Amino acid sequence: MPRFRQILDTMTAYKPGKAVVAPDGRSYKLSSNESPYDPLPSVVEAIAEGARQIHRYPDPGSVKLTEAIAARFGVPADHIALGAGSVTVAQQLLETVGEPGVEVVYAWRSFEAYPLLADLAGVKSVMVPLAGEDHDLDAMAEAINDRTRLVFVCNPNNPTGTAIRRGALEAFLDRVPEHVLVVLDEAYREYVRDEDVPDGLTLYRDRPNVCVLRTFSKAYGLAGLRVGYMIGQEPVASAVRKTIVPFAVNHLAQVAAIASLQAEDELLERVERVVKERTRVRESLIAQGWTVPPTEANFVWLRLGERTLDFAAACASEGVAVRPFAGEGARVSIGDPEANDAFLAAAKAFPR
Ligand code: PMP
């Protein structure tokens, strides 16, 4: 038997959201916060054109995509580091700080990959319970010590959908010592409509220890291609660039991401439709008697406690896949109106 790392004994592999099929054949996947829309024709064309180059290695520095992101957000190109999905960039960020004895602080429950990535990086997770459905930023600040090197702040938070407002976030950042890197994970930024929720890009400029994590997987609809990035000051971005596995961002992902930025108006119009559906779904659930925290992301959160798995099973029998967190609650992505109606019907039939 090969001798594996000890940490693997206690680790479980990431469990992705799965599709389910109802007995009548209906299937609505609301378990992975994906875009419900088909890829844009212009993006598919760019991928088809890019396919002519796949016998060559991709540009290892993703130079054109980096420049396109820089132009889009008005940031210097050397503030950007790309990776194969933002989950991989999060892993790279941990690689920049991880060594034995190091601690990483984040809220719990939050994005499921954080504990997995921390274990892989050989750092200790310090998980700070949410206060209700929100980040407990006071407790997080108190959890930081000399061993802490990184803090994840997921804003809006996956899976609760709640978002931290400017005053609270700035006060927190002011309390974080300079040796600690704060990663503002903004995977769902494009869905935020509360104007008081700050864009992390307005926060990192005068804070050398703050960076922003973004993805093409959600609003830009490229989950299957794996491309994400971070924006931070030059020393942070260049440290992250050193940790990339060579050629991690493939050529088709690079060209599709560039084409998506070029078609951003169309994509953001789709986001607007999802946001409208989010309002409809949440208000319908509340009218049905559910308690639904306000959400700034493309999903809603139902705290179901011990009934979580029963709820997921009830949804599955209607062909609706949700993401259950056993004993806690279910996260349900906002899909197209038909999928949302199927979910609302399942929720209505479930005893409150
Ligand atoms: N951060 C958060 C908060 C997420 O919810 C996700 C996806 N579920 C990611 C990062 C990773 O997304 P990707 O790797 O597809 O960019």
Side-chain angles (χ1 to χ4, degrees), residues 14 32-33 84-90 110-114 154-158 185-188 213-218 222-223 226-229 299 323 331:
Y14 182 79
S32 296
N33 302 339
S86 61
V87 70
T88 310
V89 184
S110 190
F111 181 33
E112 275 173 292
Y114 298 153
C154 189
N155 199 30
N157 189 44
N158 174 7
D185 184 343
E186 296 188 340
Y188 302 98
L213 195 55
R214 295 271 177 97
T215 180
F216 282 94
S217 296
K218 311 292 179 185
L222 299 183
R226 317 303 306 125
V227 51
Y229 57 98
F299 51 84
R323 179 73 74 98
R331 189 194 71 199

Side-chain angles (χ1 to χ4, degrees), residues 13-72:
Y14 182 79
K15 289 197 195 80
K18 285 194 199 116
V20 294
V21 184
D24 63 6
R26 288 179 305 150
S27 180
Y28 306 104
K29 185 163 180 265
L30 301 180
S31 50
S32 296
N33 302 339
E34 294 149 334
S35 167
Y37 299 103
D38 290 341
L40 289 176
S42 63
V43 174
V44 173
E45 262 169 47
I47 293 168
E49 180 63 30
R52 296 174 195 278
Q53 290 299 318
I54 58 172
H55 60 303
R56 302 285 181 200
Y57 282 100
D59 170 5
S62 303
V63 172
K64 285 190 182 144
L65 174 55
T66 303
E67 283 168 359
I69 294 168
R72 163 65 182 87

